[in-house]
Amino acid sequence: MSFEENIRRVTPYTPGEQPQKKVIKLNTNECPYPPSPAVKKALDSMDTDVLRLYPEVACDTLNDALCSYYGVPRECVFSGVGSDDVLSMCFLTFFAGREPVLFPDITYSFYDVWAEVYRIPYETLPLDENFCIRTQDYRKKNGGVVIANPNAPTGVLLGTDSIEDIVSHNKDSVVIVDEAYIDFGGETALPLIEKYDNVVVVRTMSKSRALAGMRIGYCFGQAALIRYLNDVKYSVNSYTMNTPALAAGAAAIRDDEYFRDITSRIIKTRTAFGERLRELGFTFNESSTNFIFAKPPAPFEASDIFERLKERDIFVRHFKKPERIADHLRITIGTDEEMDTLYLALKEIMK
Ligand code: PMP
């Protein structure tokens, strides 16, 4: 027997590349604009003396700001180190049963990784040929459900009626709705938390609030679910979020005007760039996110275009797996200038 037998072995999630040199970076759905000036102000005015102390254990500065912004009771919110942390805690807390947890075959590729690392049984359900979720598939026995809405990497939005259909047909399971991209044109499932005790809505500040580097995520659900979540959090690591992140997150959430401005700019750029992509012969579903998931026209191959863009210091995302998306590219919406450069590069590659 060797120590190898005692080791938890997993195949980790593969994050998008973070190149060190200056490139046009359209591969990890970051925001092309800086965070709100209020974030800078909050950080600049921070007394570093406070860093001697552990941060707020219940993330009060941030959670109070979130609750007043979203109009949610204080006992219904939970925050973490990016929505990856929040989602991972949700998996650990809510998916401890024996039945398989259900999620689509094409979705955020961290879900199966958490299921593996926490030894949670799971079953993936195929999206239809247009990459849409078939809600009726989610009426079988399960130990939980997780839906990214809008979905990633497809960018496809499911209406709140369909989300409610899934939640109401799974009253014996917790349904997690991952709304990482909801601010780019979708309708939130947040009101469902009042009506259903089995739904959790997860959000992030990494995309629409331009704070990927701060690692801030949060979720909402009825008080009982949030209590279970806190019990698990306090059993793993009580002080998850650091003091600067709590201050930065609270400042960002209060600056609604800036948030509306940058999200509407991104949506405008998405519309304009989408038209150009169509002109080049790409096909794609209407996106409700800050990216477009598009298939190049024959005879061009996504993997080849990906490499040739990279040679020009333009990074987009290409997934080799699952096979049925290997002919697509996921392109984050950057500034108008970045999208102009990308368009010209694509035109040259595809001439
Ligand atoms: N959910 C989805 C669907 C995502 O695409 C991402 C970004 N990789 C996340 C959650 C996690 O984002 P973060 O941890 O930065 O909040």
Side-chain angles (χ1 to χ4, degrees):
M1 153 126 187
S2 90
F3 61 79
E4 293 280 345
E5 286 168 52
N6 296 327
I7 284 176
R8 187 182 296 271
R9 295 192 204 201
V10 287
T11 311
Y13 169 74
T14 317
E17 274 180 88
Q18 294 291 357
Q20 292 310 305
K21 60 178 179 177
K22 185 125 184 63
V23 298
I24 293 189
K25 194 169 177 306
L26 306 172
N27 67 335
T28 51
N29 301 338
E30 288 140 328
C31 181
Y33 305 111
S36 153
V39 169
K40 181 165 167 45
K41 220 163 135 191
L43 294 176
D44 284 351
S45 65
M46 224 179 105
D47 178 2
T48 51
D49 220 38
V50 300
L51 297 179
R52 262 184 332 103
L53 305 173
Y54 282 106
E56 293 165 355
V57 71
C59 305
D60 303 295
T61 300
L62 176 63
N63 285 349
D64 289 348
L66 288 170
C67 287
S68 63
Y69 180 79
Y70 289 102
V72 168
R74 182 62 179 80
E75 61 277 15
C76 297
V77 65
F78 174 91
S79 299
V81 187
S83 58
D84 281 341
D85 179 36
V86 175
L87 285 162
S88 140
M89 283 294 120
C90 285
F91 270 58
L92 193 56
T93 309
F94 303 130
F95 298 162
R98 287 174 206 273
E99 295 293 335
V101 166
L102 308 178
F103 49 88
D105 61 339
I106 300 167
T107 191
Y108 186 30
S109 52
F110 228 136
Y111 299 157
D112 56 352
V113 174
W114 287 315
E116 299 278 349
V117 73
Y118 296 139
R119 314 251 163 97
I120 298 166
Y122 68 94
E123 185 184 335
T124 59
L125 303 175
L127 296 178
D128 72 13
E129 63 286 358
N130 299 316
F131 293 151
C132 292
I133 286 175
R134 292 185 285 224
T135 52
Q136 67 274 20
D137 291 354
Y138 292 79
R139 292 183 191 169
K140 61 204 296 187
K141 210 165 174 207
N142 64 69
V145 176
V146 54
I147 303 283
N149 194 44
N151 199 6
T154 63
V156 174
L157 178 77
L158 200 59
T160 39
D161 288 354
S162 301
I163 295 288
E164 182 161 4
D165 183 273
I166 295 175
V167 174
S168 64
H169 281 91
N170 287 284
K171 287 194 172 143
D172 295 329
S173 303
V174 175
V175 177
I176 298 174
V177 186
D178 175 357
E179 293 192 338
Y181 301 100
I182 199 73
D183 293 328
F184 301 101
E187 195 187 337
T188 178
L190 189 53
L192 294 184
I193 70 161
E194 277 183 49
K195 194 165 159 196
Y196 297 95
D197 63 3
N198 64 318
V199 63
V200 176
V201 176
V202 183
R203 295 289 192 86
T204 177
M205 292 209 188
S206 298
K207 323 288 179 185
S208 57
R209 309 261 171 193
L211 281 172
M214 261 296 168
R215 311 303 300 125
I216 302 171
Y218 48 99
C219 71
F220 301 107
Q222 286 194 6
L225 290 184
I226 299 300
R227 267 197 308 273
Y228 288 127
L229 208 44
N230 274 313
D231 287 346
V232 171
K233 169 194 147 162
Y234 292 131
S235 309
V236 176
N237 177 7
S238 330
Y239 301 108
T240 49
M241 300 193 71
N242 64 62
T243 304
L246 294 171
I253 207 81
R254 287 193 196 106
D255 192 353
D256 199 43
E257 196 183 327
Y258 184 84
F259 157 75
R260 285 175 194 276
D261 178 45
I262 59 173
T263 45
S264 66
R265 271 155 81 180
I266 290 165
I267 292 168
K268 219 167 127 206
T269 307
R270 181 181 73 201
T271 308
F273 179 69
E275 279 166 22
R276 287 175 137 188
L277 266 187
R278 286 223 162 85
E279 189 192 296
L280 290 170
F282 281 81
T283 47
F284 52 92
N285 277 308
E286 216 43 67
S287 166
S288 300
T289 62
N290 66 339
F291 57 84
I292 294 180
F293 191 58
K295 182 179 167 171
F300 301 102
E301 291 198 1
S303 55
D304 183 50
I305 295 178
F306 168 81
E307 291 300 340
R308 294 177 64 185
L309 286 173
K310 203 164 159 181
E311 285 163 14
R312 292 165 166 79
D313 282 346
I314 302 175
F315 283 56
V316 298
R317 192 90 190 255
H318 175 245
F319 297 93
K320 294 194 180 90
K321 275 189 197 162
E323 224 165 86
R324 83 176 163 121
I325 61 166
D327 55 1
H328 280 66
L329 293 172
R330 192 194 68 187
I331 305 167
T332 304
I333 303 301
T335 59
D336 284 331
E337 297 72 43
E338 286 174 324
M339 301 327 272
D340 286 347
T341 309
L342 170 61
Y343 170 67
L344 293 176
L346 286 172
K347 234 169 122 169
E348 203 178 283
I349 291 167
M350 296 168 72
K351 73 176 176 232

